Amino acid sequence: MLAWTGVVYRGEVVRNPQSTFPGWQLVILLFLLPAFNAAAGAQTQPSSEPDQLDAATVRSMLKRIAELEAEVKDLKAAKTEQAAGDNAVTKPAHPQDFYAAANPDVTISNPQILEGRRGIQFRGFGDVDFQAGKSASNGFQLGIFNLLMTSRLSDNVGFLGELVMDVDSNGMFQVQPERALLSYTPNDYFHANLGRYHTGIGYYNNAYHHGAAFLQTATGRPLLFAFDDQGGVLPIHKIGLSLTGRIPSGALGLSYIAEVGFGPSSHMGMGMSGSNQMMTVTDDNNGRAFNLGFIARPLPWHPVQFGFDFYHADRTPMGMPSFSENIYAGHFLYLAPSFEFLNEAALIRHSSAMMGTFNTLGFYSQLSRKWHAWRPFVRYNYLNAPQMEPIFTTTGRQNGPSGGLRYEVNESVALKLQFDHLDRRGLSAVNVATMQTSFVF
């Protein structure tokens, strides 16, 4: 066995007189020394990769990420606005959307739609009809041509104007501002509208306005909700203040309507009949008309809606004593995208100390079912005013069924075919077939 007095380390001999190594141990040590040297060199050599990124590069990357996030947010907002706008115009209001039902074509109540919409926005509605039956006006007729104008004035303030051009009972064209509203909507619990509005009595009057021939299922409105300048019995229009909003009520889903404005005019000779109520610059007396209503949508039955309204006004027909007018109206409906079942009724009481009380009852029921682009429908109308009614002098009793078929050509055009049968007290029955082309643009 050989004995060594030193160890070779990094080219130098280190003397250790007390250490001796066997030969095979020395050989192993000589092979391991280069590996130890390489590891030590790797530990002492600086890293070729930087430990931290340059600060300017980090700031640039963060700025670019913020820009991309802003672009994505803008694209999402634009998509939401477009979808909401299409739904507001091309689809009837559903009962779960109370403010859409109250103003289905009013975009001023939806901040998402109004965001970024400064200036005035236009929408148009129209229809062309062909009627045949026991009538002196058989043939083509131009229906209502409607221009709807909306404008966002600030985050919570907007304006709505509805200009209607149609043909009066004398065959002459007339232009009327049917609605002109300044709206203030700070939250879901308080919406204020000041100006000329459609009263909140029932459901139909605020779900389908003048230009709603395309939106509504049938070719026309139920008898109960005929426009007041066409012999209707309900006060369709008012000038004044209208308040609407939600009531915190949990699963009941309550909402309220409170309105005050000019009462209707009862003067004879102003239109089709003595029931004309379109005079809105004066009143029969100093009393103001008001309406108070409540709507409920229980959450377990989402498409279901029911409500009740109470309306009061004082009326003084020319040459007659004053009457107190009280209207009690209720509605129940089931309204889903492919199925609708509408039911509304109203009792109109005219009371006078000298002439007694007169009760006029009206209701309608409508049922329809949609299959793809086709929607068949049926409706029954009933309206009965007493023979000696001092204000509804030409209403009488009218009742009968209607039925038809609606076909949606696309999102902007609809074709309808409808047949109406109407029985009248003291007069012969009326049968009318109507073909209608309605559109929105």
Side-chain angles (χ1 to χ4, degrees):
M1 182 177 293
L2 296 176
W4 292 82
T5 59
V7 177
V8 178
Y9 180 72
R10 289 190 179 183
E12 298 181 1
V13 176
V14 180
R15 302 284 182 177
N16 187 353
Q18 299 178 356
S19 301
T20 60
F21 291 88
W24 62 272
Q25 293 176 335
L26 180 61
V27 174
I28 293 176
L29 180 61
L30 290 176
F31 278 98
L32 292 177
L33 281 177
F36 292 152
N37 291 336
Q43 292 179 357
T44 58
Q45 183 178 357
S47 175
S48 60
E49 296 291 333
D51 293 338
Q52 295 181 351
L53 294 174
D54 183 75
T57 302
V58 173
R59 287 194 297 269
S60 177
M61 293 175 64
L62 292 176
K63 180 179 179 181
R64 181 55 181 162
I65 291 174
E67 292 175 351
L68 292 174
E69 290 179 347
E71 292 178 3
V72 172
K73 184 178 180 181
D74 292 341
L75 290 173
K76 288 183 178 180
K79 184 177 180 181
T80 301
E81 175 183 344
Q82 180 180 2
D86 293 340
N87 290 336
V89 173
T90 62
K91 296 181 180 179
H94 289 277
Q96 61 267 27
D97 302 324
F98 170 74
Y99 302 107
N103 297 284
D105 47 7
V106 179
T107 57
I108 57 177
S109 64
N110 192 331
Q112 291 183 344
I113 299 177
L114 288 175
E115 191 65 30
R117 283 194 178 185
R118 297 290 181 175
I120 193 167
Q121 306 292 322
F122 286 91
R123 277 292 186 183
F125 301 84
D127 63 276
V128 179
D129 305 336
F130 180 86
Q131 285 191 343
K134 192 174 181 179
S135 173
S137 58
N138 291 344
F140 286 101
Q141 299 178 2
L142 182 63
I144 292 177
F145 180 76
N146 179 290
L147 286 179
L148 182 70
M149 300 159 282
T150 59
S151 179
R152 174 176 176 261
L153 306 180
S154 68
D155 291 341
N156 299 321
V157 179
F159 172 80
L160 177 141
E162 187 177 22
L163 195 64
V164 172
M165 289 156 277
D166 61 356
V167 181
D168 62 15
S169 59
N170 298 319
M172 303 295 293
F173 280 96
Q174 59 182 359
V175 180
Q176 294 183 7
E178 297 294 350
R179 285 188 294 164
L181 291 172
L182 185 66
S183 176
Y184 175 63
T185 58
N187 52 58
D188 289 341
Y189 305 99
F190 183 80
H191 288 194
N193 294 289
L194 180 65
R196 180 180 171 90
Y197 57 88
H198 279 182
T199 57
I201 297 177
Y203 166 78
Y204 208 96
N205 194 37
N206 273 297
Y208 304 104
H209 298 280
H210 286 268
F214 172 80
L215 300 178
Q216 64 188 359
T217 300
T219 60
R221 298 162 69 90
L223 281 178
L224 181 61
F225 287 96
F227 289 122
D228 35 19
D229 60 346
Q230 298 175 358
V233 296
L234 292 178
I236 301 297
H237 300 83
K238 277 287 176 287
I239 289 182
L241 177 65
S242 174
L243 306 177
T244 61
R246 301 185 187 278
I247 300 176
S249 53
L252 290 178
L254 294 178
S255 303
Y256 70 89
I257 300 173
E259 300 170 331
V260 61
F262 273 121
S265 172
S266 303
H267 296 308
M268 302 290 291
M270 294 183 57
M272 295 181 63
S273 70
S275 62
N276 188 290
Q277 307 171 21
M278 287 298 292
M279 181 180 286
T280 55
V281 295
T282 64
D283 199 342
D284 289 345
N285 42 60
N286 290 327
R288 294 293 172 260
F290 68 86
N291 177 52
L292 181 64
F294 296 94
I295 297 175
R297 292 178 200 82
L299 291 182
W301 303 278
H302 194 55
V304 172
Q305 172 182 309
F306 55 89
F308 177 80
D309 295 271
F310 172 72
Y311 171 91
H312 173 79
D314 294 322
R315 305 186 67 167
T316 308
M318 186 176 295
M320 292 188 179
S322 295
F323 286 84
S324 174
E325 181 178 73
N326 293 322
I327 300 177
Y328 308 89
H331 68 272
F332 170 82
L333 58 92
Y334 183 97
L335 188 58
S338 60
F339 181 82
E340 68 175 2
F341 183 42
L342 310 180
N343 303 273
E344 298 193 69
L347 175 64
I348 307 172
R349 295 174 60 90
H350 291 147
S351 301
S352 171
M354 296 180 60
M355 299 184 64
T357 300
F358 301 86
N359 295 320
T360 297
L361 177 64
F363 71 87
Y364 80 92
S365 183
Q366 178 174 309
L367 181 67
S368 74
R369 177 70 165 86
K370 183 177 181 181
W371 284 276
H372 303 289
W374 302 90
R375 182 186 284 270
F377 61 90
V378 292
R379 175 197 285 171
Y380 187 83
N381 289 290
Y382 181 87
L383 186 59
N384 189 1
Q387 290 185 351
M388 302 300 294
E389 230 287 350
I391 297 177
F392 302 147
T393 57
T394 62
T395 301
R397 177 183 56 80
Q398 308 173 56
N399 63 283
S402 300
L405 181 65
R406 171 191 172 103
Y407 174 72
E408 295 184 1
V409 179
N410 52 42
E411 294 183 350
S412 301
V413 179
L415 304 178
K416 305 175 189 178
L417 177 62
Q418 180 172 323
F419 178 80
D420 296 273
H421 174 81
L422 191 64
D423 293 317
R424 302 179 295 175
R425 180 195 299 134
L427 298 172
S428 59
V430 175
N431 297 293
V432 178
T434 304
M435 291 184 293
Q436 182 184 83
T437 301
S438 58
F439 51 89
V440 58
F441 59 94

